[in-house]
Amino acid sequence: MSFAAKSHVWDGTATIRLTGELAAKSAGQFNRVIADVSAQDPHRLVLLLDELTYLSSAGLRSLVYAHQRLGRGVEIVLVGAQPEVAETIRLTGFDRSVVMQEPTGA
Amino acid sequence: MTTAKSTVDDIGARVAEVVRSLAARAALTRAQAYRLRLAADEIATNIVLHGYGGEGEVGLCGGVAEDHVWLRTEDSAPPFDPRDHDPSPVLTADPATRAPGGLGVHLALAAVDELRYEQVAGLNHTTLVVYRDA
């Protein structure tokens, strides 16, 4: 049930790598990282999800929080979601408000 | 059956442990185990958060049948049948601005092959079923 969120902001893009399980217990931790990066006024938020192994509705609510903190003009890109995590995002319609990308290897 | 007073911070771990055991016994695929865990996590978290208001006793039990795996939550919160939940208001709302809440029960219903509910001796019994060959 471990979770980690490591972030950096460079050239207007905030990148957060999520590792482990994002659920009710860990959502608050993720929200604090979102608040930290939003203070630097990024114009794009990239979430690296290839090491995120579990996502529940509590974690999805953090995406709503990210939209609200960053503002509607900020693009949110989800990269490399594992199949089950991607399905959870699609089942709740969040794929309509974010860009979902396969990992580029870059 | 394991019964314990739970909060939103620990119910997820209890659910994960029960699902891990069932998945091993039934040789569920990763996707099947994930769906069962997600549904059980959402139902159990909903009970603790909304049924009890943050803390309360939740029973968890499960079993393996020839063609399916089941997991049941038991609680004494006010009666709530997840099948009555209408997800359309939350699903039609703009995801970027939608109000929190309502997603968990929708996910639970979507994740499993069957969701059964009944009241037994004043307790809510919510049973989640995943078919082994699905």
Side-chain angles (χ1 to χ4, degrees):
Chain A
M1 297 291 282
S2 64
F3 174 75
K6 293 181 180 174
S7 68
H8 69 270
V9 181
W10 186 76
D11 198 21
T13 295
T15 303
I16 306 176
R17 176 176 289 281
L18 306 184
T19 304
E21 304 188 346
L22 179 54
K25 188 177 181 181
S26 48
Q29 182 184 344
F30 181 39
N31 288 352
R32 285 191 291 277
V33 175
I34 291 169
D36 286 345
V37 300
S38 71
Q40 300 180 60
D41 293 325
H43 56 72
R44 191 165 181 257
L45 172 64
V46 177
L47 302 180
L48 304 177
L49 302 184
D50 55 303
E51 294 177 18
L52 186 72
T53 56
Y54 181 73
L55 175 68
S56 75
S57 65
L60 287 166
R61 283 194 285 278
S62 292
L63 292 182
V64 178
Y65 178 72
H67 275 297
Q68 292 168 348
R69 281 298 297 234
L70 297 167
R72 292 303 305 273
V74 175
E75 182 182 55
I76 298 180
V77 184
L78 311 185
V79 182
Q82 296 184 17
E84 294 84 4
V85 169
E87 178 66 8
T88 303
I89 292 167
R90 277 191 287 272
L91 278 171
T92 49
F94 273 100
D95 53 324
R96 303 199 309 267
S97 71
V98 298
V99 177
M100 295 184 72
Q101 288 182 354
E102 296 299 314
T104 61
Chain B
M1 166 76 80
T2 156
T3 301
K5 189 170 273 193
S6 294
T7 67
V8 289
D9 279 347
D10 59 35
I11 189 68
R14 285 187 59 209
V15 166
E17 184 55 39
V18 172
V19 171
R20 196 174 297 121
S21 166
L22 288 170
R25 282 167 54 196
L28 294 183
T29 65
R30 171 180 147 150
Q32 289 170 325
Y34 191 100
R35 291 195 290 117
L36 182 61
R37 177 185 173 187
L38 179 62
D41 186 8
E42 297 293 354
I43 292 295
T45 299
N46 203 57
I47 290 166
V48 171
L49 194 59
H50 301 296
Y52 287 127
E55 184 178 29
E57 230 169 58
V58 180
L60 297 171
C61 60
V64 178
E66 186 178 347
D67 61 349
H68 69 275
V69 174
W70 60 273
L71 185 154
R72 186 167 68 236
T73 61
E74 298 184 8
D75 65 271
S76 59
F80 176 69
D81 185 344
R83 298 170 302 180
D84 293 338
H85 173 71
D86 176 10
S88 12
V90 69
L91 288 180
T92 53
D94 179 350
T97 57
R98 62 170 51 141
L103 289 173
V105 174
H106 165 66
L107 274 179
L109 287 162
V112 290
D113 296 308
E114 288 181 43
L115 188 152
R116 304 170 188 154
Y117 171 83
E118 59 182 343
Q119 287 184 57
V120 179
L123 298 178
N124 295 300
H125 282 198
T126 306
T127 304
L128 306 162
V129 174
V130 169
Y131 300 148
R132 296 176 70 180
D133 60 355

